[in-house]
């Protein structure tokens, strides 16, 4: 089932008990998936399995590793076709097993199936995220709808579903342990919520919609990537006023790499845009960089995404209508922590007024600075970061570029390893150069072991730098899950970023925000590495919960051991001064209006898009009108404007789910207070032990709400979140007023 779910995810997102069998001589009985796989290799197409490096069993140390050094796009199509055929053969054997359905011969065999295809998806993920090319995109465009068809054949296999349903119906009377029951319930839900209960024309139409959506999601993602690659700007030396030395050196090196030696490259990605808008004194250039970035997918050309978005929304609405749901969000949230769209909206709307009010305060401060300088301007979106930095200096005597001198990427990485050692008892050791294949020379690999026993936990891959063909942003991924039901498989986890590589010999310096993001994504990797589950399906996640663990890890960046030992000046090696640390902590909530409002605007528009009748929708107009109704300040825009909102339109992972970051942050803020209240603070062994035991190691083996109660002893409320962001806490203001009156 693991590979089936991966196939569904990739087709949509990228355009990502002992066994019990009969004796061999009883030929009418179905063979286990492992035997089916062996048989498949001997069937027509078996030569592909023997000759295609993408299908080769992972060899080498650490339980085998991906052959990234042998991957070639020319092998991808045939590998996918073989993997799908083999997996369908395995599924057919399970569905047609004449024995009565049991956990062992149905669910466990599904968990065992599709290993070859899973390997191929690992390589697919590298090409789609880290190393895209025109050759890959051609295969991607051709295979995405085929992958959708493949997943539909499994989900709509009625014999298979009836076996799953039989195991599900008998789950409480079959002697299953808690993990096995959870696998059964998740598997049944995956079928029931994705069209397995349909029949006739509705069943056919459901599959056709999925196929078309796979095509559209792929086109959307590739259009955004095309606009990121097609809008580089090359500046002259007289256009660099205000830009930090480290940024200038990196821009020069990038320009040389792109054949523009002597100039300075500004790429159309957040990692380049954000510092440029923060420091450049050239307002016209700021506006140009801002416009390029926020117009991705919205330029009225061959890469414009508006028509694609309209069709995606209409198809999603039609599809959930076949299942009896009023709107897409209602369907999407049924098995999330929020349970329904209204609860998610209520949380966001509870925070929105305070965030917008803070934006108005921030803009007033910025306008005052601009007026004092006689700039003769009204603050516009391309001015926000620039003047916010001026306000930061004036209010807190805090210079972001000064802070960057102490934020070396390599030191931050070592700091993350320290945190992992203290909380998880993990040790990270670089593997011998060349012992583990990588897909690019920038990628480095570490072995993760238990500090006490030396037991091998897994490998951690890091791909830190931006390059052509790499999608923007930062993310974590798994090349192999932790499982034990078929022998222990250890984790292969990765983190991927888009830092601008420094000039040769120069360290990579990052902003405080980027350092937090680095810790955030490492939190995802630790969630993978800490897994103790038995079955592959349990490594999946609930979208409005999975960001909690990663958001929580951000908090360790500002703890004393990290500050005292890893934040040192890149030239002198001197620790960051105590007075600078004090300024950072004092300014912790600075610009929180901007950060919260740009995020909430995206999350609310996402939810509105998926709770509205999409017939005849004009996405650009809908975005403008929705933001106007919300009272969106004119001085900033959504963090992800609709035409390039890849979270929700390059697949369905975050569709009607972007609110999940804030839902998870409610847990994050509350859990942070648990550490702050503990005797040992953020390194308290007892609280850390509960964190790992209940919130990291079980992955999705425990319902998230139950897991959090086991950790905290209660549910989380919104109050810690509001305190964290420096916003008024509901009820506290009234209590304070009443107390003052007494």
């Amino acid at each position: 089932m693991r590979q089936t779910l991966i196939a569904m995810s990739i087709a949509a997102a990228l355009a990502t008990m002992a066994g019990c069998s009969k004796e061999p001589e009883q030929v009418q009985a179905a063979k286990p998936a492992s035997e089916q796989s062996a048989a498949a290799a001997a069937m027509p197409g078996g030569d592909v399995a023997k000759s295609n490096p993408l299908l080769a069993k992972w060899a080498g140390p650490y339980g085998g590793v991906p052959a990234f050094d042998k991957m070639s796009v020319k092998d991808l199509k045939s590998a996918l076709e073989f993997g799908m055929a083999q997996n369908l053969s395995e599924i057919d054997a399970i569905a047609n097993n004449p024995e009565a359905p049991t956990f062992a011969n149905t669910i466990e065999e599904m968990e065992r199936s599709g290993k070859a295809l899973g390997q191929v998806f690992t390589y697919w993920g590298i090409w789609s995220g880290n190393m895209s090319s025109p050759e890959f995109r051609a295969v991607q465009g051709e295979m995405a709808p085929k992958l959708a068809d493949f997943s539909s054949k499994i989900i709509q296999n009625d014999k298979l579903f009836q076996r799953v349903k039989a195991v599900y119906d008998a789950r409480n009377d079959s002697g299953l342990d808690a993990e096995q029951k959870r696998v059964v319930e998740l598997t049944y839900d995956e079928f029931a919520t994705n069209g397995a209960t349909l029949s006739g024309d509705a069943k056919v139409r459901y599959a056709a919609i999925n196929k078309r959506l796979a095509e559209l999601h792929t086109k959307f993602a590739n259009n955004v990537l095309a606009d990121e690659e097609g809008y580089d700007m090359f500046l002259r030396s007289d256009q660099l006023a205000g830009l930090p030395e480290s940024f200038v050196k990196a821009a020069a090196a990038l320009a040389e790499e792109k054949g523009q030696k002597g100039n300075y490259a500004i790429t159309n990605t957040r990692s380049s845009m954000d510092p440029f808008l923060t420091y450049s004194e050239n307002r016209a250039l700021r506006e140009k960089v801002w416009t390029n970035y926020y117009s991705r997918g919205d330029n009225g050309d061959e890469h414009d995404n508006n028509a694609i978005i309209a069709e995606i929304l209409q198809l999603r609405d039609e599809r959930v209508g076949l299942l009896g749901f009023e709107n897409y969000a209602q369907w999407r949230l049924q098995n999330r922590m929020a349970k329904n769209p209204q609860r998610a909206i209520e949380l966001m709307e509870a925070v929105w007024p305070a965030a917008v009010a803070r934006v108005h305060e921030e803009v007033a401060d910025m306008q005052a600075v601009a007026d004092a300088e006689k700039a003769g301007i009204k603050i516009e979106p391309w001015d926000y970061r620039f003047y916010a930095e001026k306000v930061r200096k004036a209010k807190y005597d805090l210079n972001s570029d000064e802070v960057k001198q102490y934020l070396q990427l390599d030191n931050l990485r070592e700091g993350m390893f320290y945190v992992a050692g203290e909380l998880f008892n993990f040790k990270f050791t670089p593997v011998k150069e060349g012992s583990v294949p990588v897909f690019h020379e920038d990628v480095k690999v570490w072995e993760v072991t238990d500090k006490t026993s030396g037991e091998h936990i897994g490998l951690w891959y890091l791909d830190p730098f931006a390059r052509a063909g790499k999608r923007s942003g930062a993310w974590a991924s798994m090349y192999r899950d932790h499982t034990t039901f078929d022998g222990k498989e250890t984790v292969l986890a990765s983190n991927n970023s888009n830092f601008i590589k420094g000039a040769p010999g120069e360290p990579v310096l990052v902003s405080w925000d980027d350092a937090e993001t680095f810790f955030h994504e490492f939190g995802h990797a630790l969630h993978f590495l800490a897994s103790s589950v038995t079955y592959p399906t349990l490594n999946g996640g609930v979208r409005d919960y999975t960001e909690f663990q990663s958001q929580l890890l951000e908090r360790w960046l500002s703890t004393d051991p990290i500050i005292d030992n890893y934040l040192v000046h890149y030239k002198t090696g001197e620790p960051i001064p105590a007075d600078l640390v004090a300024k950072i902590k004092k300014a912790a909530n600075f610009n929180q209006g901007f950060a919260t409002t740009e995020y909430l605007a995206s999350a609310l528009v996402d939810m509105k898009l998926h709770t509205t009748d999409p017939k005849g929708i004009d996405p650009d107009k809908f975005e403008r009108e929705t933001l106007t109704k919300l009272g969106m300040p004119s001085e900033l825009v959504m963090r992800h404007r609709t035409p390039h909102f890849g979270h929700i339109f390059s697949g369905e992972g975050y569709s009607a789910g972007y609110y999940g970051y804030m839902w998870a942050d409610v847990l994050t803020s509350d859990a942070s207070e648990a550490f702050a209240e503990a005797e040992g603070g953020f390194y308290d062994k007892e609280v850390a032990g509960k964190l790992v035991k209940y919130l990291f190691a079980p992955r999705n083996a425990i319902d998230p709400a139950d897991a959090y109660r086991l950790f905290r002893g209660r549910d989380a409320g919104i109050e810690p979140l509001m305190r964290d962001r420096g916003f008024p806490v509901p009820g506290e203001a009234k209590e304070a007023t009443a107390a003052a009156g007494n």
Side-chain angles (χ1 to χ4, degrees), residues 574-723:
E574 291 295 315
I576 188 169
D579 63 335
L580 184 53
V581 173
K583 292 175 185 178
I584 292 171
K585 292 185 175 182
K586 186 178 179 181
N589 288 321
F590 177 75
N591 224 29
Q592 190 57 243
F594 175 88
T596 304
T597 301
E598 68 158 5
Y599 158 75
L600 277 177
S602 294
L604 283 162
V605 168
D606 168 35
M607 194 60 72
K608 302 286 186 182
L609 283 167
H610 288 103
T611 52
T612 299
D613 182 353
K615 184 177 180 180
I617 194 170
D618 176 340
D620 264 350
K621 181 181 179 183
F622 184 90
E623 177 186 302
R624 290 193 304 272
E625 291 179 348
T626 300
L627 293 176
T628 298
K629 290 177 183 176
L630 288 171
M632 179 74 168
S634 63
E635 295 86 1
L636 74 165
V637 293
M638 300 162 61
R639 182 174 178 83
H640 305 287
R641 286 199 55 237
T642 309
H644 51 255
F645 204 166
H647 287 76
I648 67 173
F649 291 122
S650 66
E652 298 189 62
Y654 284 89
S655 50
Y658 198 61
Y659 77 91
Y661 285 95
M662 178 154 285
W663 193 276
D665 214 21
V666 170
L667 304 180
T668 299
S669 296
D670 188 64
S672 295
E673 291 193 353
F675 276 99
E677 294 161 1
E679 183 179 352
F682 276 80
Y683 295 89
D684 187 89
K685 294 300 182 183
E686 182 181 349
V687 180
K690 290 171 65 177
L691 178 79
V692 176
K693 180 178 180 180
Y694 296 123
L695 302 181
F696 276 78
R699 300 286 280 142
N700 199 15
I702 305 176
D703 179 270
D706 293 338
Y708 193 79
R709 291 185 198 107
L710 287 170
F711 167 74
R712 195 69 163 112
R714 57 168 174 74
D715 291 327
I718 194 176
E719 296 81 7
L721 173 79
M722 301 299 278
R723 282 194 288 270

Side-chain angles (χ1 to χ4, degrees), residues 11 30 70 83 140 148 302 313 355 393 399 402 404 459 470 495 499 527 562 575 587 596 676 693 698:
K70 293 182 172 61
Q140 183 186 34
E302 61 180 325
L313 291 169
K393 292 176 185 176
N399 183 327
E402 181 185 0
K404 285 181 71 172
L459 295 180
K470 188 176 185 180
N495 281 136
F499 297 112
H527 201 185
I562 300 301
T596 304
K693 180 178 180 180

